[in-house]
Amino acid sequence: MNQAQQAGIVYTASAYMMWGVFPLYWKLLDQVPADEILAHRVIWSFAFMMILLYTSRQLHNFKETFKELMKKPKQIMALLAASVLISLNWFIYIWAVNNDHIIEASLGYYINPLVSILLGIVVLKEKLNFWQGISVLLAAVGVLFLTMQYGQFPWISILLALSFGIYGLVKKLMNMDAKIGLTFETLMVTPVALIYFLLLMAKGTSSFGTASILDTLLLIGGGVATAMPLLYFAKGAKLIPLSMVGFLQYIAPTITLFLGVFVFHEHFTKVHMVAFLFIWGGSIVFALSKTRFMVSHQPKLRKSRSVGM
């Protein structure tokens, strides 16, 4: 393994570890409504990204990209869609953490890679190999079991998986620089976030500046906490194979699950265990689906080889 790959693993693993411990950060703000946290997360993420573009001397690239976008209404709509999707994902996650649904949130990010596979098949016409098909089937059984046992659909998990999965698809289709793309995404929703923040200030119900100094600093720091793992991930993912990225991405929901069970003492039932075993099984099969060993042992390849002989 060369130095570039080692650096890629460090950057990517660091991003997933940051995402994994996010519940610890948002729990510090559990007295602040999720919609207000989201508004500040958007505003301060945009402010942080603008500072980052300035210090890295990429403001010129940002302006040039802006001029090009004005000539491409379809790309503007794609950016708007990405902005709405990531904002929805952030809101659901914050609400889930601060309303004691951390286990369901972790389940969503275990399912997310499998949602990405299905989106790739349906939208990008990508082919599903045998083991990827098995991984999707196992995850589907886990979700179905959870739904039947509890009598209600795990909407938090599914919405988190769908919103982030579709967001990833939109980002892939756009193929824009990570820093500039994130800046535009936050720019798109910043006016709405600012209007909402000003309304709260006018009503006297805003926590910003009126609660403790720590709460105010945490709301501002949410912008940095949001942007850093995204930037680390964008930098690391370019240096390592996609299969390795797929394996590392399970760091985040695993940390989140452990926090939910052992730190915040959420109820983890036998039903959860059975459902998670199916989803973990699907996740492991997916992570290994493109390794040389698994590819050489998939039935479809064996059949094609025997025909060739």
Side-chain angles (χ1 to χ4, degrees):
M1 187 180 296
N2 58 41
Q3 287 185 339
Q5 286 182 323
Q6 290 176 353
I9 290 173
V10 170
Y11 280 120
T12 308
S14 297
Y16 283 122
M17 282 189 279
M18 283 187 247
W19 278 322
V21 299
F22 257 7
L24 295 174
Y25 192 94
W26 301 126
K27 274 289 187 182
L28 294 172
L29 287 165
D30 62 355
Q31 68 278 10
V32 180
D35 47 1
E36 185 176 357
I37 295 174
L38 175 63
H40 283 285
R41 193 174 181 182
V42 169
I43 293 166
W44 298 111
S45 292
F46 174 65
F48 175 72
M49 290 309 301
M50 288 301 292
I51 293 169
L52 194 63
L53 288 180
Y54 176 77
T55 55
S56 60
R57 298 181 180 180
Q58 286 188 282
L59 274 179
H60 177 73
N61 294 339
F62 178 76
K63 292 175 184 177
E64 291 299 314
T65 305
F66 182 80
K67 290 178 183 177
E68 291 177 13
L69 281 173
M70 292 299 100
K71 304 173 186 176
K72 301 175 181 177
K74 287 185 178 179
Q75 208 161 17
I76 293 175
M77 292 304 295
L79 263 175
L80 181 60
S83 303
V84 172
L85 285 165
I86 197 62
S87 298
L88 176 65
N89 183 270
W90 289 350
F91 174 77
I92 295 169
Y93 186 80
I94 294 167
W95 185 91
V97 168
N98 289 350
N99 285 273
D100 302 321
H101 294 287
I102 295 174
I103 291 174
E104 282 188 68
S106 71
L107 174 62
Y109 289 109
Y110 275 117
I111 298 171
N112 174 66
L114 307 174
V115 169
S116 296
I117 290 176
L118 292 176
L119 288 172
I121 295 166
V122 175
V123 180
L124 303 178
K125 308 301 179 185
E126 295 177 352
K127 292 183 178 180
L128 194 71
N129 71 26
F130 174 78
W131 296 116
Q132 288 173 331
I134 293 296
S135 70
V136 172
L137 181 62
L138 286 170
V141 170
V143 173
L144 185 62
F145 178 78
L146 197 62
T147 302
M148 292 177 66
Q149 290 297 315
Y150 278 114
Q152 62 182 41
F153 193 67
W155 66 270
I156 293 174
S157 306
I158 298 301
L159 283 177
L160 282 172
L162 283 174
S163 58
F164 201 74
I166 299 172
Y167 168 76
L169 175 65
V170 173
K171 292 279 284 183
K172 183 178 178 65
L173 293 173
M174 286 175 55
N175 192 27
M176 188 178 289
D177 175 81
K179 289 181 186 176
I180 292 174
L182 182 58
T183 306
F184 274 115
E185 287 162 30
T186 49
L187 171 63
M188 288 277 193
V189 286
T190 291
V192 178
L194 275 172
I195 291 169
Y196 184 72
F197 169 58
L198 292 173
L199 285 173
L200 290 178
M201 291 288 285
K203 291 179 181 178
T205 56
S206 172
S207 301
F208 188 80
T210 58
S212 67
I213 296 175
L214 177 61
D215 286 348
T216 301
L217 292 175
L218 286 170
L219 287 170
I220 296 172
V224 180
T226 296
M228 287 307 295
L230 286 168
L231 295 173
Y232 268 55
F233 174 77
K235 191 168 184 177
K238 293 178 181 179
L239 301 174
I240 56 177
L242 187 59
S243 58
M244 194 173 291
V245 174
F247 183 76
L248 292 172
Q249 68 187 326
Y250 295 108
I251 292 173
T254 302
I255 294 173
T256 301
L257 176 62
F258 286 158
L259 288 175
V261 175
F262 298 111
V263 177
F264 299 111
H265 307 293
E266 290 188 9
H267 196 40
F268 192 73
T269 65
K270 290 181 180 179
V271 173
H272 281 115
M273 177 58 75
V274 173
F276 267 80
L277 283 173
F278 276 104
I279 292 162
W280 282 331
S283 301
I284 292 168
V285 171
F286 166 73
L288 301 175
S289 63
K290 290 190 176 181
T291 61
R292 187 177 299 175
F293 176 81
M294 296 291 273
V295 169
S296 65
H297 286 78
Q298 60 182 351
K300 184 180 285 188
L301 286 184
R302 282 181 175 180
K303 184 178 179 181
S304 63
R305 284 178 181 176
S306 62
V307 171
M309 289 175 68

